[in-house]
């Protein structure tokens, strides 16, 4: 994850400042929760899924 995106994610998690990416965070969180609740979810993959989905919603692309 790029440093800029990581900093924005920290801002959202701290809730002490506003971020332009709050909607992307909410959408990524909901999709990640759905994945985590599925029968085929792998616990080790959950953080990776969130990171990639958040990055995709923010930038419109995902780095491999």
């Amino acid at each position: 994850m790029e440093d800029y995106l990581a900093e924005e994610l920290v801002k959202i998690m701290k809730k002490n400042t506003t971020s332009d990416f709050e909607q992307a965070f909410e959408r990524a969180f909901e999709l990640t929760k759905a994945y985590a609740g599925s029968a085929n979810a792998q616990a080790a993959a959950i953080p990776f899924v969130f990171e990639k989905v958040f990055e995709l919603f923010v930038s419109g692309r995902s780095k491999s």
Side-chain angles (χ1 to χ4, degrees):
M1 178 179 286
E2 294 178 17
D3 290 341
Y4 175 69
L5 292 180
E7 290 171 7
E8 291 297 322
L9 185 55
V10 169
K11 285 181 187 177
I12 293 168
M13 298 298 289
K14 285 186 174 181
K15 300 262 186 202
N16 62 353
T17 60
T18 59
S19 171
D20 294 336
F21 304 129
E22 289 181 38
Q23 184 177 8
F25 173 83
E26 293 294 331
R27 292 171 60 197
F29 186 72
E30 289 300 319
L31 285 173
T32 304
K33 281 191 341 186
Y35 170 72
S38 72
N40 295 327
Q42 297 177 359
I46 293 170
F48 180 77
V49 168
F50 175 79
E51 178 183 337
K52 291 301 174 186
V53 173
F54 178 71
E55 185 176 18
L56 179 64
F57 286 142
V58 168
S59 67
R61 56 183 159 70
S62 181
K63 294 182 180 177
S64 298

